[in-house]
């Protein structure tokens, strides 16, 4: 800080009431509110009235910002006239920053600031103070509010919103023309001193520009500043507070100023005469050269318009201004002929299109030059009599019919014969051909307007003596329509009729389309191929028709679909017609005629069930079927589990009887002797596949004689198991039980006993082949064989 700033702060310090050396004294004022009572008084009723007076009130404190001392900054002192100095009172502080930024000595009432305060963050603080009795904690004075204001010091320099500004001003502007205004801001208090009073000055950019000290407006300072000499300028502006006085703080910004162009320069041709050459064969529109005038200006101020103002070739040539390059392009306006004329002279003028009246004094903003054009002789290709040809032909003409002729000639004096040909790239299908000598075009394939209405051909003419010199001409062939297509239905119709339909009810509106395109427009007629007792067609005479019912009521049960042939005819010559068939379904409908169902199966479904309900019912049935199948599969799997694992149980061998075995020599599959083995019969064992609640002592039965018949043996065992309460409800022996005499089905087992009391005759087993020889030996052969079993 400079010496001047220190002296200024000392002067301000002396004139301001400094809170650090002043104790705030508060005058006592009466509290006229009837709700507060302190002393005693006598009312009309004789009762004592207590009235309390307010002992102190606050004024505002002032505090200097940016305190740099090491101790807490003293703000001021609070004191109540109720304070006797005995420490019985306690001062309490609340509000903005109380307890953190501002603290109070609860005994003395001294207020201190705990840290440095920036006024730019907050300019004042509102606090509340109260004095209470330390012992009873009751207030002795009402709570009062006071404000601590922060006095500003010049601790913020002016700042600009942007470090760099961009501005522009037209060149040749008069002195004092406004360019741009820059504005700086100062965070200091503008209402206190000159800390926020800003003065602008220019540090760089003289003598071209100046700035207004109070407003910051930058203006031009020199006349006739020319952009063509210098276009860019950089100006540095300073903003200084304290009214620009010494010791004030400052900030700077840079302003880049561009001089914009004005039309202060006329166009000028670099040459007074320009020579160009053009071959006589150049077609119309060919660019033969260009001219260009220079202009020091830019943008629209440099835009130039070229025109031919004089000369002997004004009708033979044109000039066009090219906007992007600002050139004048000279083109051929009419065909050239070297034999007719060999040299043309043009006078071309270039003029600015946007002229500024302020600079008329600088001269006319246009210039002229002379252009000489020489025509060169060339061997010219043939020339067609027309620039293009158009031929029209009907699509039903015969093959080989001539549709038109093109003509060409050789413009040279030699007059070479011409040969014509078709460019096959324009006729890939080879529908047309041309006579090479006379240029007649004829058809080589049938024409079809519906496939292609236009054919764009290119005919080539070349000199026979110089085939490289060729000329092309476009030939447009238009195919005229002939009524050769019959009308058809416009779309596919999905038609239905309600079962409850009435006679004369509209069920479908039909329309037709025709590939032909007659001159008078399409006109269709609709009718039935034959009289139909169910439906009829009514022509609307607007290329549409209505399908109507002829009777009341239809039945899906009887006929679910009707086929209705409809004849469609056109009105052109020759008349074409076709028959289209409508498929009409019979459907169930509601009372409004809305279709509900067209399937015959829907008749079997109960009325009133929606599609969702039917689907839900079907799903439930499927789930129930799946559960039943799973339950049956689990039950069947349980039945397949072996009940007895012992190989000694006679039922084990009976179960293995399912094995077919390997023939007569295979005796492992089933041993019939087991059924007659007395040991096996008498050896009773407890069942291991179940655990009965009560174990019964197995009953011994007399052993059957060795020659006991198999049927008797099985019947005996069946009777025992039927009377045995400990036997399970299923037994593998039941699978091979004897069916009895009353069984209609005969036994399939080879162990079947006789159907009568006499012996079974097993001699027929020998007739069954080698595989049954063993059984024949065992059961055949009379009594001796039976006893050996």
């Amino acid at each position: 800080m400079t010496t001047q700033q220190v002296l200024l702060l000392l002067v301000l310090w002396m004139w301001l009431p400094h809170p650090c050396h002043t104790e705030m004294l508060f005058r006592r004022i009466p509290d006229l509110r009837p709700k507060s009572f302190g002393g005693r008084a006598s009312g009309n009723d004789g009762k004592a009235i207590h009235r309390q007076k307010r002992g102190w009130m606050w004024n505002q404190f002032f505090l200097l910002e940016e305190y740099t001392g090491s101790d807490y900054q003293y703000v001021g002192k609070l004191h109540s006239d109720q304070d006797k100095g005995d420490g019985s009172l306690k001062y309490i502080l609340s509000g903005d920053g109380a307890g953190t930024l501002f603290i109070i000595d609860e005994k003395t009432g001294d207020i201190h600031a705990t840290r440095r305060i920036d006024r730019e963050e907050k300019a004042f603080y509102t606090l509340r103070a109260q004095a209470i009795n330390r012992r009873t904690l009751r207030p002795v004075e009402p709570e009062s509010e006071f404000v601590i204001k922060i006095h500003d010091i010049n601790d913020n320099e002016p700042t600009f919103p942007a470090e760099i500004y961009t501005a522009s001003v037209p060149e040749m502007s008069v002195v004092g023309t406004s360019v741009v205004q820059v504005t700086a801001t100062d965070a200091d208090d503008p209402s206190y001193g000159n800390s926020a009073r800003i003065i602008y000055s220019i540090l760089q950019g003289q003598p071209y520009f100046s700035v207004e000290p109070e407003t910051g407006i930058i203006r031009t300072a020199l006349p006739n500043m020319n952009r063509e000499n210098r276009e860019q300028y950089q100006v540095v502006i300073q903003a200084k507070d304290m009214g620009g006085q010494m010791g004030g703080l400052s900030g700077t910004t840079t302003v880049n100023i561009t001089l914009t162009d004005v039309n202060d320069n006329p166009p000028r041709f670099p040459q007074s005469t320009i020579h160009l050459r053009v071959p006589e064969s150049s077609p119309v529109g060919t660019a033969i050269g260009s001219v260009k005038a220079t202009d020091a200006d830019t943008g629209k101020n440099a835009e130039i318009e070229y025109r031919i103002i004089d000369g002997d070739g004004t009708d033979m040539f044109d000039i066009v201004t090219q906007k992007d390059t600002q050139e004048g392009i000279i083109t051929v306006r009419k065909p050239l002929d070297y034999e007719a004329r060999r040299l043309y002279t043009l006078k071309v003028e270039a003029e600015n299109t946007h002229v500024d009246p302020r600079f008329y004094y600088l001269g006319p903003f246009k210039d002229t030059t002379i252009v000489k054009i020489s025509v060169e002789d060339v061997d010219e290709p043939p020339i067609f009599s027309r620039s293009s040809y158009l031929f029209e032909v009907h699509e039903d003409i015969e093959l080989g019919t001539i549709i038109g002729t093109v003509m060409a000639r050789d413009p040279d004096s030699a007059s070479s014969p011409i040969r014509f040909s078709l460019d096959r790239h324009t006729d890939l299908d080879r529908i047309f051909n041309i006579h090479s000598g006379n240029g007649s075009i004829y058809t080589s394939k049938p024409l079809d307007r519906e496939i292609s209405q236009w054919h764009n051909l290119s005919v080539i003419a070349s000199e026979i003596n110089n085939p490289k010199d060729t000329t092309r001409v476009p030939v447009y062939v238009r195919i005229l329509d002939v009524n050769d297509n019959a009308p058809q239905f416009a779309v596919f119709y999905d038609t239905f009729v309600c079962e409850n339909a009435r006679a004369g009810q509209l069920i479908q509106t039909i329309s037709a389309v025709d590939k032909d395109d007659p001159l008078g427009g399409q006109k269709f007629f609709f009718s039935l191929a034959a009289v139909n007792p169910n439906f009829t067609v009514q022509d609307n005479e607007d290329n549409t028709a209505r399908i109507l019912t002829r009777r009341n009521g239809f039945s899906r049960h009887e006929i679910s679909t009707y086929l209705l042939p409809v004849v469609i005819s056109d009105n052109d010559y020759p008349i074409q017609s076709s028959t289209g068939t409508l498929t009409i379904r019979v459907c169930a409908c509601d009372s409004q005629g809305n279709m509900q169902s067209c399937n015959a199966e829907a008749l079997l479904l109960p009325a009133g069930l929606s599609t969702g309900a039917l689907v839900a019912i079907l799903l439930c049935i499927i789930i129930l079927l799946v559960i039943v199948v799973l339950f049956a599969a689990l039950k069947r799997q349980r039945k397949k589990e072996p009940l007895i694992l012992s190989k000694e149980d006679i039922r084990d061998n009976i179960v293995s009887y399912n094995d077919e075995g390997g023939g007569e020599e295979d005796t492992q599959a089933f041993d019939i002797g087991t059924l007659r083995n007395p040991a096996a019969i008498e050896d009773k064992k407890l069942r291991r596949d179940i655990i009965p609640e009560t174990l019964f002592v197995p009953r011994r039965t007399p052993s059957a004689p060795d020659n006991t018949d198999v049927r008797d043996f099985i019947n005996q065992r069946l009777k025992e198991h039927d009377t045995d309460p400990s036997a399970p409800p299923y037994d593998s022996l039941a699978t091979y039980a004897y069916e009895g005499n009353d069984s209609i089905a005969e036994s399939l087992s080879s162990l079947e006993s006789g159907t009568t009391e006499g012996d079974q005759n097993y001699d027929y087993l020998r007739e069954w082949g080698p595989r049954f020889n063993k059984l024949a030996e065992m059961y055949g052969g009379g009594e001796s064989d039976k006893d050996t079993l």
Side-chain angles (χ1 to χ4, degrees):
M1 186 177 291
T2 61
T3 305
Q4 290 81 358
Q5 290 176 326
V6 173
L7 292 175
L8 179 61
L9 290 175
L10 289 176
V11 172
L12 292 174
W13 190 274
M14 293 174 63
W15 283 97
L16 291 175
H18 200 285
C20 297
H21 301 281
T22 305
E23 177 179 335
M24 300 298 295
L25 299 178
F26 308 101
R27 57 188 179 85
R28 184 183 297 273
I29 61 174
D31 189 355
L32 301 179
R33 294 177 298 176
K35 294 183 180 179
S36 300
F37 301 98
R40 291 182 177 270
S42 177
N44 296 332
D45 53 359
K47 296 182 179 179
I49 299 177
H50 298 274
R51 183 181 301 274
Q52 183 178 357
K53 294 182 180 180
R54 187 172 178 182
W56 41 279
M57 63 176 294
W58 311 123
N59 293 325
Q60 57 186 7
F61 292 102
F62 295 92
L63 187 63
L64 197 64
E65 71 168 333
E66 303 295 344
Y67 172 71
T68 57
S70 58
D71 298 331
Y72 289 166
Q73 187 177 5
Y74 182 74
V75 178
K77 184 181 182 64
L78 303 179
H79 184 73
S80 173
D81 56 1
Q82 300 293 331
D83 190 356
K84 306 302 182 181
D86 55 359
S88 61
L89 294 185
K90 179 180 179 180
Y91 294 96
I92 299 175
L93 191 65
S94 61
D96 294 342
T100 56
L101 179 59
F102 299 104
I103 59 175
I104 188 172
D105 190 328
E106 61 182 19
K107 294 181 179 181
T108 63
D110 293 331
I111 301 174
H112 291 81
T114 59
R115 60 177 174 84
R116 189 172 63 178
I117 299 176
D118 189 357
R119 189 204 65 83
E120 286 68 40
E121 293 181 2
K122 192 166 184 177
F124 65 91
Y125 296 85
T126 302
L127 295 96
R128 295 179 298 276
Q130 192 174 36
I132 63 173
N133 189 288
R134 185 180 296 274
R135 183 175 60 83
T136 63
L137 300 180
R138 290 185 177 181
V140 298
E141 299 286 353
E143 185 180 59
S144 297
E145 186 176 86
F146 65 97
V147 176
I148 298 178
K149 287 189 175 181
I150 310 302
H151 272 314
D152 182 51
I153 64 172
N154 189 20
D155 58 343
N156 292 278
E157 68 276 2
T159 58
F160 289 93
E163 295 182 1
I164 298 177
Y165 289 84
T166 301
S168 62
V169 63
E171 63 174 332
M172 310 295 289
S173 296
V174 297
V175 176
T177 301
S178 174
V179 180
V180 68
Q181 181 178 13
V182 294
T183 304
T185 58
D186 196 319
D188 292 325
D189 189 358
S191 62
Y192 183 75
N194 292 328
S195 298
R197 184 188 174 194
I198 299 175
I199 297 296
Y200 300 93
S201 61
I202 185 168
L203 301 182
Q204 177 183 327
Q206 300 95 343
Y208 307 103
F209 300 94
S210 62
V211 63
E212 293 182 358
E214 299 290 339
T215 62
I217 298 176
I218 301 174
R219 301 182 182 274
T220 57
L222 281 181
N224 299 327
M225 286 192 293
N226 197 341
R227 183 198 64 84
E228 287 72 31
N229 296 333
R230 183 178 176 181
E231 185 176 4
Q232 299 289 338
Y233 295 87
Q234 190 175 74
V235 178
V236 179
I237 302 297
Q238 181 189 62
K240 191 173 184 180
D241 59 12
M242 299 298 294
Q245 299 177 3
M246 185 177 296
L249 304 179
S250 63
T252 60
T253 188
T254 301
V255 183
N256 293 326
I257 301 175
T258 302
L259 294 183
T260 58
D261 184 59
V262 298
N263 192 7
D264 58 343
N265 294 279
R268 292 289 179 263
F269 280 107
Q271 299 173 340
S272 59
T273 304
I274 300 174
H275 294 274
L276 298 176
R277 294 180 177 272
V278 55
E280 64 170 337
S281 60
S282 299
V284 174
T286 301
I288 63 176
S290 64
V291 294
K292 184 175 183 180
T294 59
D295 194 326
D297 298 321
T298 61
K300 69 176 185 178
N301 297 318
E303 291 181 1
I304 300 174
E305 187 71 27
Y306 297 91
R307 62 178 66 92
I308 299 174
I309 60 175
D310 199 3
D312 54 10
T314 56
D315 59 338
M316 300 297 296
F317 301 95
D318 279 332
I319 189 167
V320 179
T321 302
Q322 195 75 21
K323 296 298 183 181
D324 53 347
T325 60
Q326 292 300 310
E327 292 180 333
I329 308 299
I330 300 177
T331 60
V332 178
R333 185 176 181 180
K334 293 182 179 180
L336 303 175
D337 190 355
Y338 174 80
E339 290 74 18
R341 185 162 190 159
R342 304 180 182 181
L343 181 65
Y344 295 91
T345 302
L346 304 175
K347 186 176 183 179
V348 177
E349 180 185 71
E351 182 180 11
N352 281 138
T353 56
H354 302 283
V355 180
D356 193 337
R358 296 178 299 171
F359 306 104
Y360 279 155
Y361 67 92
L362 296 178
F365 284 82
K366 57 185 176 180
D367 196 14
T368 59
T369 188
I370 301 298
V371 180
K372 294 186 176 183
I373 302 174
S374 299
V375 180
E376 297 178 343
D377 186 24
V378 295
D379 186 7
E380 300 174 77
I383 299 175
F384 283 95
S385 60
R386 302 181 195 174
S387 59
S388 63
Y389 293 86
L390 172 63
F391 301 133
E392 293 183 344
V393 59
H394 286 88
E395 60 179 326
D396 61 345
I397 63 172
E398 297 180 358
L399 296 181
T401 303
I402 295 177
I403 64 173
T405 302
V406 297
M407 300 179 63
R409 64 178 181 85
D410 184 6
D412 297 326
S413 57
S415 185
S416 175
I418 306 300
R419 180 181 180 181
F420 299 95
S421 62
L422 277 176
D423 185 355
R424 288 302 174 186
H425 292 89
T426 61
D427 185 26
L428 297 176
D429 297 330
R430 295 182 175 270
I431 299 176
F432 302 95
N433 213 334
I434 189 171
H435 291 287
S436 60
N438 58 18
S440 298
I441 302 174
Y442 60 92
T443 60
S444 59
K445 287 184 180 181
L447 302 177
D448 191 348
R449 187 199 68 87
E450 285 70 39
I451 295 177
S452 179
Q453 185 177 0
W454 286 90
H455 296 274
N456 300 326
L457 308 178
S458 179
V459 176
I460 303 172
S462 60
E463 297 179 8
I464 295 179
N465 298 333
N466 187 9
K468 294 183 178 179
D469 289 340
T470 62
T471 305
R472 293 172 178 266
V473 66
V475 177
Y476 306 105
V477 181
R478 180 183 179 184
I479 310 302
L480 301 179
D481 184 44
V482 174
N483 190 27
D484 57 349
N485 292 278
Q488 297 177 347
F489 282 134
V491 296
F492 172 78
Y493 293 101
D494 184 11
T495 307
F496 71 93
V497 60
C498 296
E499 288 184 310
N500 56 358
R502 303 242 177 222
Q505 183 173 335
L506 173 66
I507 62 172
Q508 184 69 63
T509 300
I510 59 176
S511 61
V513 292
D514 195 333
K515 294 181 180 179
D516 296 323
D517 187 15
L519 296 178
Q522 297 284 6
K523 178 63 178 177
F524 301 128
F525 300 96
F526 300 88
S527 62
L528 289 181
V531 177
N532 190 291
N534 302 307
F535 306 97
T536 184
V537 174
Q538 185 177 20
D539 197 327
N540 296 328
E541 298 183 357
D542 60 353
N543 292 340
T544 63
R546 297 187 297 169
I547 307 298
L548 305 175
T549 58
R550 296 189 64 182
R551 64 184 179 89
N552 295 331
F554 294 84
S555 175
R556 284 180 294 165
H557 233 22
E558 297 175 0
I559 300 178
S560 61
T561 304
Y562 292 90
L563 299 179
L564 183 64
V566 179
V567 178
I568 311 173
S569 305
D570 58 19
N571 193 34
D572 206 356
Y573 179 83
I575 294 176
Q576 301 286 343
S577 64
S578 67
T579 301
T581 301
L582 280 178
T583 301
I584 304 175
R585 297 180 298 156
V586 181
C587 303
C589 304
D590 57 15
S591 59
Q592 303 297 326
N594 299 319
M595 180 179 65
Q596 292 182 335
S597 175
C598 294
N599 299 325
E601 292 79 0
L603 297 173
L604 303 178
L605 297 177
L609 291 179
S610 63
T611 304
L614 294 177
V615 172
I617 292 173
L618 290 177
L619 289 177
C620 292
I621 293 174
I622 292 172
I623 293 173
L624 290 176
L625 289 176
V626 171
I627 293 174
V628 171
V629 171
L630 292 177
F631 180 77
L634 293 175
K635 187 173 182 181
R636 186 175 181 181
Q637 185 176 2
R638 287 183 182 176
K639 287 183 178 182
K640 290 182 178 180
E641 296 178 357
L643 298 176
I644 302 175
L645 301 177
S646 173
K647 293 182 179 180
E648 299 177 359
D649 198 297
I650 61 175
R651 291 172 296 178
D652 187 38
N653 284 331
I654 294 175
V655 173
S656 63
Y657 180 71
N658 288 332
D659 192 358
E660 292 182 3
E664 292 80 6
E665 302 301 328
D666 185 2
T667 58
Q668 298 298 324
F670 172 69
D671 185 6
I672 194 61
T674 304
L675 294 176
R676 297 178 175 272
N677 187 356
I681 295 173
E682 297 299 330
D683 187 11
K684 292 283 188 175
K685 295 184 179 180
L686 295 178
R687 297 175 60 85
R688 293 177 294 173
D689 55 345
I690 62 173
I691 302 177
E693 296 180 359
T694 305
L695 296 177
F696 294 88
V697 178
R699 297 174 295 174
R700 281 193 177 270
T701 57
S703 60
D706 187 49
N707 59 353
T708 303
D709 192 82
V710 175
R711 182 183 65 180
D712 298 336
F713 175 80
I714 293 176
N715 287 335
Q716 182 180 357
R717 288 296 178 259
L718 285 174
K719 186 180 298 184
E720 292 175 1
H721 283 279
D722 288 340
T723 58
D724 186 3
S726 63
Y730 52 88
D731 197 290
S732 58
L733 289 175
T735 307
Y736 304 96
Y738 178 67
E739 294 181 352
N741 295 331
D742 295 333
S743 176
I744 299 176
E746 298 180 357
S747 175
L748 299 178
S749 174
S750 61
L751 302 179
E752 180 181 3
S753 58
T755 59
T756 63
E757 295 297 335
D759 293 333
Q760 178 88 15
N761 185 8
Y762 297 100
D763 293 337
Y764 63 86
L765 294 175
R766 299 182 185 276
E767 300 175 2
W768 288 7
R771 294 182 179 272
F772 298 92
N773 288 341
K774 192 68 175 179
L775 288 176
E777 293 174 1
M778 294 172 61
Y779 291 96
E783 295 291 332
S784 60
D785 292 338
K786 189 185 297 185
D787 295 337
T788 59
L789 289 174

